[in-house]
Amino acid sequence: MTATHSLQLAPPAAQSPAGPGRGSYWITTFGCQMNKADSERMAGILETLGYREASAELSADLVLYNTCTIRDNAEQKVYSYLGRQAQRKRLNPHLTLVVAGCVAQQEGEALLRRVPELDLVMGPQHANRLDTLLAQVEQGQQVVATGEHHILEDITTARRDSAVCAWVNVIYGCNERCTYCVVPSVRGQEQSRRPEAIRLEMEGLAARGFREITLLGQNIDAYGRDLPGITPEGRRQHTLTDLLHHVHDVEGLERIRFATSHPRYFTERLIDACAALPKVCEHFHIPFQSGDDAVLKAMARGYTVERYRRILSRIRERMPDAAISADVIVAFPGESEAQFRRTLALIEEIGFDQVNTAAYSPRPNTPAADWPDQLSETVKVERLQELNALVERTARRRSARYQGRLVQVLVEGPNPRQASQWMGRTRTNRLTFFSADQPAGAGPGSGAPAVQAGDLVNVRIEEVRAFSLSGTLA
């Protein structure tokens, strides 16, 4: 299948001030960690071309929206942003307007009919080709890039938003067919990167001073299913467990995380590896989506509530202080009040550190969107409000265990809201603010103990909140 096609709108124009090698750019990212990682790669490409980051969205010469279609409200937000930029473009034809990500993949040419001012529409599989696609735009073409495309290796161009923590993609796409989810149709089939390429990227990041890396995949436990090789024991040669062992000893790295996991594929062997490998953090993001087996079956999730319980029980058996976060959807088509109550009961029982919550939102080209037993908006709002209140109470109870404790924090930088504090995260991913004798941002020679981004420090926790902690440098 051809990956790209162009619509010739006019003869090639003279290079504008916003063309490659000149001008400023602005990227707005919607959605998940995968989108954030894609945005970093695209920002790196733009800076390689000579663009500089703009100081404000409305002054940029190139505006790129990296979009999310997982829920309708995220998609509609994109259109409101686009309306503002379309007005700008009518006044300034040299503005380059790009829509990337999942809405671009889902809508394709339909986006051009809705927003004819667009120059480039590109799906997630084409993020590494941004330079090539912009070259076509500079030739006076309106470009749509949404075809199936093999994602090329690119480990050199990402512009990282942090100097301490970095994302590293290990698998793209998703082969699951959850009945509510649009991701497989917009992000394509699974494509695992070779372990050698992943390690090489991690070594490069460590050499540049990065201390923590999060390995990313839409379904990261599926890593390696598409790579050849069988061990003498008869199992797949490339799994997430094997990858963690392969990259664990990268010199300079202090912490490794991974997300997002799927309960269907989360193995005891993986849990044992996480417990045994010191750099792998005791933090697991494992969506459960519903606490009722019938709803899980309707969602085509492929596991039961009891299997989910066993996974978490084994994690806490091996790593008692481990933090567990999850995703959950309420008001799925046909969900009864009793089934909703079972979801609430599971949250109470497990005691999650954090839960990302959502009311069901019908998405295009998904089976559940056409089912007749859709629930009303009133029910969705009521259930989501009750769920969110419970999630906060549960998180607050989980945070209480840190009161008075000494915890290790990886310093990410000054607290942007309070200059006298630093901020970072515990191994269990709790955001932590702390004061030190030396104010955040104080220069050398102050006579006070030095603290800087990238340091591992011990903090005595003095205040706990649902989703963050505060303390003092020990």
Side-chain angles (χ1 to χ4, degrees), residues 231-268:
T231 68
E233 296 77 27
R235 63 172 179 81
R236 283 190 291 116
Q237 185 174 354
H238 300 291
T239 66
L240 177 59
T241 304
D242 297 309
L243 179 64
L244 289 176
H245 282 285
H246 183 69
V247 302
H248 184 266
D249 64 346
V250 170
E251 188 174 352
L253 284 184
E254 295 289 345
R255 293 178 175 182
I256 298 173
R257 303 182 191 274
F258 58 90
T260 294
S261 293
H262 194 302
R264 182 188 293 186
Y265 308 105
F266 206 96
T267 65
E268 191 164 323

Side-chain angles (χ1 to χ4, degrees), residues 221-437:
D221 304 285
Y223 173 77
R225 289 198 298 196
D226 56 325
L227 297 178
I230 300 295
T231 68
E233 296 77 27
R235 63 172 179 81
R236 283 190 291 116
Q237 185 174 354
H238 300 291
T239 66
L240 177 59
T241 304
D242 297 309
L243 179 64
L244 289 176
H245 282 285
H246 183 69
V247 302
H248 184 266
D249 64 346
V250 170
E251 188 174 352
L253 284 184
E254 295 289 345
R255 293 178 175 182
I256 298 173
R257 303 182 191 274
F258 58 90
T260 294
S261 293
H262 194 302
R264 182 188 293 186
Y265 308 105
F266 206 96
T267 65
E268 191 164 323
R269 182 170 173 262
L270 175 59
I271 296 170
D272 291 342
C274 294
L277 296 172
K279 292 182 183 180
V280 178
C281 292
E282 301 82 9
H283 169 233
F284 301 90
H285 185 73
I286 314 175
F288 68 94
Q289 305 300 8
S290 174
D292 181 82
D293 285 341
V295 174
L296 289 174
K297 185 175 181 179
M299 290 177 166
R301 290 290 288 169
Y303 56 86
T304 63
V305 174
E306 184 53 38
R307 170 164 171 74
Y308 189 83
R309 285 193 183 100
R310 288 199 303 270
I311 292 169
L312 269 55
S313 176
R314 179 61 175 168
I315 289 173
R316 285 176 169 165
E317 178 185 323
R318 296 300 315 275
M319 293 160 277
D321 197 43
I324 311 292
S325 59
D327 300 339
V328 62
I329 297 170
V330 296
F332 187 74
E335 181 189 67
S336 68
E337 180 69 19
Q339 290 170 325
F340 169 61
R341 295 291 154 195
R342 281 193 273 277
T343 293
L344 299 181
L346 184 64
I347 293 172
E348 283 273 20
E349 173 192 335
I350 299 296
F352 291 95
D353 292 76
Q354 187 165 346
V355 181
N356 301 324
T357 65
Y360 171 73
S361 177
R363 307 313 300 134
N365 305 313
T366 59
D370 298 324
W371 292 352
D373 48 356
Q374 307 289 325
L375 302 186
S376 70
E377 290 303 313
T378 300
V379 170
K380 290 180 180 182
V381 170
E382 289 174 352
R383 290 185 181 178
L384 186 59
Q385 288 177 343
E386 185 173 359
L387 174 69
N388 286 339
L390 173 61
V391 165
E392 182 170 355
R393 290 197 303 273
T394 304
R396 196 177 298 278
R397 285 200 299 268
R398 289 290 292 165
S399 278
R401 73 190 193 275
Y402 295 106
Q403 184 70 50
R405 278 175 52 178
L406 199 64
V407 297
Q408 184 197 71
V409 174
L410 175 61
V411 182
E412 296 179 14
N415 179 356
R417 296 184 177 181
Q418 190 171 333
S420 63
Q421 289 185 330
W422 294 87
M423 60 181 287
R425 291 184 183 271
T426 66
R427 288 177 60 92
T428 53
N429 207 41
R430 267 292 192 270
L431 183 61
T432 304
F433 304 96
F434 65 94
S435 56
D437 292 336

Side-chain angles (χ1 to χ4, degrees), residues 112-267:
L112 301 185
R113 293 191 291 272
R114 185 164 180 171
V115 188
E117 293 81 5
L118 284 170
D119 296 290
L120 171 59
V121 176
M122 53 183 288
Q125 296 181 47
H126 297 266
N128 285 354
R129 302 179 61 235
L130 179 58
D131 50 352
T132 303
L133 300 174
L134 284 177
Q136 296 178 38
V137 170
E138 287 297 318
Q139 293 302 309
Q141 299 172 5
Q142 194 176 35
V143 182
V144 178
T146 54
E148 285 290 331
H149 180 70
H150 180 72
I151 299 172
L152 301 175
E153 284 288 353
D154 187 339
I155 63 172
T156 59
T157 59
R159 179 194 177 279
R160 307 287 176 173
D161 288 337
S162 166
V164 177
C165 306
W167 319 106
V168 170
N169 294 95
V170 303
I171 180 172
Y172 302 98
C174 181
N175 289 0
E176 300 303 303
R177 286 294 179 263
C178 302
T179 55
Y180 57 85
C181 187
V182 72
V183 167
S185 66
V186 294
R187 284 198 168 266
Q189 295 292 295
E190 292 169 359
Q191 297 181 42
S192 298
R193 296 176 62 193
R194 297 290 307 181
E196 298 81 9
I198 295 167
R199 183 181 172 106
L200 182 63
E201 181 175 3
M202 294 174 70
E203 288 173 341
L205 290 167
R208 290 164 52 194
F210 286 88
R211 310 298 301 279
E212 176 180 302
I213 284 176
T214 300
L215 306 177
L216 286 184
Q218 296 293 153
N219 175 11
I220 198 166
D221 304 285
Y223 173 77
R225 289 198 298 196
D226 56 325
L227 297 178
I230 300 295
T231 68
E233 296 77 27
R235 63 172 179 81
R236 283 190 291 116
Q237 185 174 354
H238 300 291
T239 66
L240 177 59
T241 304
D242 297 309
L243 179 64
L244 289 176
H245 282 285
H246 183 69
V247 302
H248 184 266
D249 64 346
V250 170
E251 188 174 352
L253 284 184
E254 295 289 345
R255 293 178 175 182
I256 298 173
R257 303 182 191 274
F258 58 90
T260 294
S261 293
H262 194 302
R264 182 188 293 186
Y265 308 105
F266 206 96
T267 65

